[in-house]
């Protein structure tokens, strides 16, 4: 008999780029294919996608990919994935709409097979019967998955919370969870994002008070920055704005596209007269304007940092503006966020952000939500997913406290092969599960070395040496040219650069016949060493040693 393998390829040991492979025999089902936004020190990287190297030699075993919801950390890597894997995609209505936007941008819509499911449907895929069930999250049309396999029923929670008053009025499907429980759950894979938060996550409805208060007080324009994919938040902001007779302009391509598709599908309700185009807001008095804004990758800091720096094409902060940052901060970007907020204040805006004002609630359940799900499903095995290692460990503690045996809990990071066989859960070998950087059109060509080099360039600048070399004598000819950028101010560094000439000359003095390539290496190493000794800095050093 075959065994059931579960291989997390993203989202375990980190927040973002969620992806999981579920395998039985010669059949593979993929759940989600998301991106992760880069941390502040990943210079020039647009986003990061999962490393699916493990699947490359199993291409013909992949039966399809099921998407839990339309957030970027679940759908963002799909175009990249589908370029390599020609498999059908299954998604709910809104999720599908958001996927279509991304595929259309890359001219991939025509050649992709998309299937729409509704919660309650059963999708048959090889030996798997997949039952999506509705969950509350910060986007409509989100689901968790019951996956019946020959080994038993697996429940994948997706991202979830138990919100009793969600914006769309549709709570998590408790009845389905009870039904799964009655059937017996072999393993629960559950969202750990908020495993450090005591209590239950507040309802989305709890934000209404804060939005009302801010809109009542603001005398000028309101700019609300959020993620383009937080469709529920967009609805909420617009609903409150209408009560204060503010017209809403939407800034940022991804938010324009998302709201358009969500309106067409009837999951976002905005009458035409509530909207105004961004280039027409000057016609209205400031107190009747609300701008919903997002960055080029659909994240709020993109637009706020441009506004803070005065570098936005069509929007400038003016005295009396109120700016609301209605989102969480991407881990690793806390410092950048704070300096952007400072700059916005400096430009004369009033700024509201979490936790100064309750303008954001998480879409992920806290400890009490997590306990609810475990107790309701009563799984035999438990695998915490979606979170950094500390979140996964905390979630495991919660499961232990609820009576799940230690040996039935697997805390693993990306790439570990989990095997469910014969009533046992085993952690096997580790397959690749790291970062693939996407930088413009470059996918995977920007590795950790390039990243370190960009960091060094940013912090220490560069030094370039152009030298002439005579291979027959093994000596450099004449004086070399030294060009610097961002390292030392050349006119004031004559002495340092004079001594660098000596370093170059002696490094370039080699055995006759030595190749110029080797001379370059020697010169670069000697110079890097010299500059570090003299200045305690590490500029990027490059040399061009030409023969003749
Ligand atoms: Zn999500
Ligand atoms: Zn997520």
């Amino acid at each position: 008999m075959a065994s059931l393998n579960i291989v997390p390829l993203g989202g375990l040991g980190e927040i973002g780029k969620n992806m999981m492979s579920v395998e039985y025999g010669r059949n593979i089902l993929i759940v989600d294919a998301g991106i992760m936004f880069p941390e502040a020190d990943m210079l020039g990287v647009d986003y990061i996608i999962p490393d699916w190297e493990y699947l490359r030699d199993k291409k013909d075993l992949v039966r399809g990919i099921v998407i839990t919801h339309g957030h970027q950390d679940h759908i963002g890597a799909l175009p990249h994935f589908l370029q390599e894997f020609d498999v059908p995609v299954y998604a709910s209505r809104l999720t599908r709409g958001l996927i279509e936007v991304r595929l259309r941008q890359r001219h991939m819509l025509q050649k992709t097979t998309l299937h729409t499911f509704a919660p309650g449907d059963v999708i048959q895929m090889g030996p798997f019967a997949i039952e999506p069930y509705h969950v509350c999250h910060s986007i409509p049309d989100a689901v968790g998955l019951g996956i019946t396999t020959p080994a038993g029923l697996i429940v994948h929670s997706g991202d979830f919370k138990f919100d009793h008053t969600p914006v769309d009025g549709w709570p998590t499907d408790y009845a389905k969870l009870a039904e799964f429980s009655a059937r017996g759950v072999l393993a629960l894979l559950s969202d750990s994002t908020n495993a450090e938060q005591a209590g239950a996550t507040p309802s989305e409805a709890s934000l209404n008070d804060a939005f009302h208060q801010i809109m009542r007080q603001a005398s000028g324009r309101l700019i609300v920055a959020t993620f383009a994919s937080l469709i529920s938040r967009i609805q909420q902001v617009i609903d409150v704005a209408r009560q204060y007779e503010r017209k809403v302009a939407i800034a940022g391509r991804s938010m324009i596209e998302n709201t358009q598709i969500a309106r067409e599908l009837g999951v976002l309700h905005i009458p035409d007269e509530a909207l105004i185009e961004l280039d027409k807001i000057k016609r209205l008095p400031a107190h009747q304007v609300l701008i919903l804004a997002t960055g080029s990758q659909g994240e709020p800091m993109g637009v706020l940092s441009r506004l803070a720096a005065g570098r936005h094409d069509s929007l400038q902060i003016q005295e009396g503006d109120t700016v609301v940052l209605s989102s969480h901060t991407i881990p690793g970007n806390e410092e950048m966020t704070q300096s952007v907020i400072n700059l916005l204040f400096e430009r004369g805006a009033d700024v509201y952000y979490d936790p100064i004002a309750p303008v954001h609630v998480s879409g992920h359940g806290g400890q009490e939500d997590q306990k609810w799900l475990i107790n309701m499903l009563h799984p035999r095995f438990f695998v915490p997913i979606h979170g950094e290692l500390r979140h996964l460990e905390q979630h495991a503690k919660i499961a232990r406290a609820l009576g799940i045996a230690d040996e039935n809990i697997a805390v693993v990071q990306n790439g570990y092969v989990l095997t469910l066989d014969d009533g046992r859960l085993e952690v096997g070998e580790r397959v690749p599960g790291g970062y693939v950087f996407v930088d413009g059109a470059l996918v995977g060509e920007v590795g950790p070395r390039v990243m370190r080099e960009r960091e060094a360039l940013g912090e220490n600048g560069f030094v370039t040496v152009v030298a002439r070399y005579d291979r027959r004598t093994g000596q450099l000819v004449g004086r070399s040219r030294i060009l610097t950028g961002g390292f030392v101010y050349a006119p004031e560094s004559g002495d340092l650069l004079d001594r660098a000439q000596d370093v170059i000359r002696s490094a370039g003095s080699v055995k006759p016949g030595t190749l110029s390539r080797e001379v370059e290496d020697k010169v670069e190493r000697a110079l890097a060493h010299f500059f570090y000794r003299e200045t305690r800095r590490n500029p990027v050093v490059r040399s061009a040693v030409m023969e003749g």
Side-chain angles (χ1 to χ4, degrees):
M1 252 240 325
S3 56
L4 180 70
N5 285 345
I6 296 171
V7 189
L9 296 172
L12 276 72
E14 63 196 357
I15 302 276
K17 72 175 176 67
N18 300 292
M19 184 169 193
M20 181 162 291
S21 163
V22 180
E23 314 170 26
Y24 189 86
R26 295 182 56 76
N27 299 278
I28 295 179
L29 151 71
I30 306 291
V31 179
D32 291 336
I35 58 170
M36 184 157 90
F37 291 112
E39 294 186 11
D41 60 353
M42 297 174 180
L43 302 169
V45 170
D46 295 329
Y47 53 87
I48 302 155
I49 59 176
D51 184 348
W52 44 69
E53 173 63 29
Y54 168 73
L55 295 170
R56 287 206 173 96
D57 61 353
K58 303 179 182 64
K59 270 188 190 162
D60 41 326
L61 309 187
V62 181
R63 302 282 165 250
I65 176 162
V66 181
I67 307 295
T68 57
H69 62 283
H71 281 159
Q72 292 296 9
D73 56 325
H74 298 259
I75 67 169
L78 251 186
H80 297 286
F81 182 73
L82 293 172
Q83 263 163 12
E84 286 187 57
F85 297 80
D86 184 17
V87 298
V89 181
Y90 297 80
S92 65
R93 240 157 48 100
L94 174 64
T95 308
R96 176 189 176 144
L98 296 170
I99 291 169
E100 284 178 353
V101 170
R102 275 191 94 83
L103 291 177
R104 198 174 297 124
Q105 284 165 0
R106 289 168 183 269
H107 312 286
M108 291 177 62
L109 189 53
Q110 299 308 324
K111 55 176 186 220
T112 305
T113 312
L114 289 162
H115 298 287
T116 311
F117 61 70
D121 289 354
V122 182
I123 306 155
Q124 203 65 48
M125 201 189 285
F128 307 113
I130 303 147
E131 294 167 83
Y133 64 94
H134 180 74
V135 295
C136 289
H137 186 37
S138 44
I139 186 168
D141 253 4
V143 298
L145 305 170
I147 307 168
T148 301
T149 75
L153 173 62
I154 310 295
V155 176
H156 185 299
S157 74
D159 286 348
F160 79 98
K161 69 177 182 182
F162 290 114
D163 191 338
H164 301 288
T165 49
V167 170
D168 63 2
W170 189 4
T172 296
D173 191 347
Y174 299 92
K176 196 69 183 177
L177 291 171
E179 190 196 316
F180 288 151
S181 184
R183 283 193 237 158
V185 175
L186 179 66
L188 168 63
L189 320 175
S190 183
D191 176 12
S192 311
T193 308
N194 278 348
E196 293 177 335
Q197 305 297 320
T201 299
S203 168
E204 286 175 342
S206 70
L207 297 181
N208 278 339
D209 287 346
F211 285 133
H212 272 285
Q213 204 182 340
I214 292 167
M215 290 201 210
R216 205 177 303 130
Q217 284 169 359
S219 54
R221 302 186 308 177
L222 252 171
I223 298 168
V224 179
T226 191
F227 284 93
S229 57
L230 287 183
I231 306 281
S232 312
R233 187 68 42 82
I234 293 171
Q235 179 78 66
Q236 231 171 340
V237 169
I238 292 178
D239 286 348
V240 181
R242 291 184 62 206
Q243 296 179 43
Y244 292 86
E245 283 161 15
R246 282 180 188 266
K247 289 214 190 262
V248 177
I250 297 171
R253 188 177 73 158
S254 50
M255 197 178 291
I256 292 172
E257 285 169 342
N258 285 1
T259 49
Q260 192 182 335
I261 194 86
R263 284 178 82 196
E264 278 168 23
L265 295 172
V267 291
L268 185 63
H269 308 281
I270 316 173
D272 287 335
E273 64 271 19
L275 294 172
I276 185 167
E277 272 159 47
L278 191 59
D279 54 6
K280 303 212 170 78
I281 55 176
K282 287 211 172 70
R283 298 181 192 168
L284 292 176
H287 69 274
Q288 286 176 17
V289 174
L290 186 144
I291 300 153
L292 260 170
T294 197
S296 57
Q297 297 297 328
E299 35 72 53
M301 287 318 290
V303 67
L304 285 188
S305 57
R306 268 183 292 144
L307 286 173
R311 281 190 292 105
H312 197 280
D313 311 333
S314 42
L315 203 56
Q316 280 84 37
I317 291 291
Q318 59 194 46
E319 194 75 34
D321 281 350
T322 299
V323 177
V324 179
L325 174 53
S326 181
S327 76
H328 65 278
T329 301
I330 295 170
N333 287 359
E334 291 83 359
E335 256 177 67
M336 196 257 281
T337 305
Q338 284 158 16
S339 73
V340 163
I341 290 171
N342 285 334
L343 282 169
L344 290 168
F345 273 118
E346 202 173 305
R347 286 185 177 271
D350 193 5
V351 192
Y352 290 88
Y353 48 95
D354 192 49
I356 296 305
V359 286
H360 175 69
V361 287
S362 176
H364 304 267
Q367 291 175 352
E368 295 305 311
D369 302 75
Q370 293 168 346
K371 289 178 196 170
W372 258 91
L373 189 63
I374 294 170
N375 270 342
M376 210 180 308
L377 291 177
H378 212 70
R380 174 129 174 239
F381 298 106
F382 180 73
V383 182
I385 60 172
H386 301 176
E388 293 178 22
L389 188 55
R390 61 200 168 99
H391 305 122
L392 306 180
E393 290 285 3
Q394 289 303 333
H395 205 178
K397 270 187 202 163
I398 291 169
R400 244 174 258 133
L402 298 185
I404 299 191
D406 202 25
E407 64 269 23
N408 289 358
I409 301 174
V411 176
V412 294
Q413 303 190 59
N414 296 338
Y416 280 99
V417 178
L418 297 172
T419 303
L420 282 161
D421 194 12
D422 238 11
R424 284 169 33 148
L425 172 62
E426 274 173 50
V427 180
E429 52 158 347
R430 191 170 198 182
V431 304
Y435 289 178
V436 174
F437 295 111
V438 179
D439 173 4
L442 300 176
V443 179
E445 285 164 47
V446 181
R449 251 195 62 193
V450 175
M451 208 57 62
R452 272 197 300 277
E453 208 163 273
R454 286 183 185 177
E455 230 172 286
L457 275 171
E459 281 169 21
N460 301 311
F462 70 87
V463 176
T464 308
V465 176
V466 183
R468 196 175 292 277
Y469 165 68
D470 184 342
R471 203 201 301 192
R472 284 167 310 160
T473 62
Q475 298 296 322
L476 296 182
V477 183
R479 213 175 143 82
S480 307
R481 284 199 67 194
I482 304 178
L483 308 164
T484 68
F487 172 52
V488 286
Y489 183 54
E492 288 166 11
S493 56
D495 174 52
L496 182 72
L497 297 184
D498 276 345
R499 283 185 291 141
Q501 286 285 355
D502 298 338
V503 173
I504 295 166
R505 190 163 306 116
S506 72
S509 172
V510 291
K511 254 199 348 244
T514 304
L515 296 175
S516 59
R517 181 64 236 149
E518 292 171 48
V519 178
E520 285 176 349
D521 282 348
K522 259 192 95 193
V523 167
E524 286 171 14
R525 254 176 296 145
L527 266 187
H529 190 77
F530 167 73
F531 285 130
Y532 183 72
R533 203 180 58 219
E534 296 296 317
T535 65
R536 295 284 137 191
R537 292 170 67 196
N538 277 313
V540 172
V541 179
R542 288 284 180 276
S543 69
V545 172
M546 281 160 298
E547 288 188 40

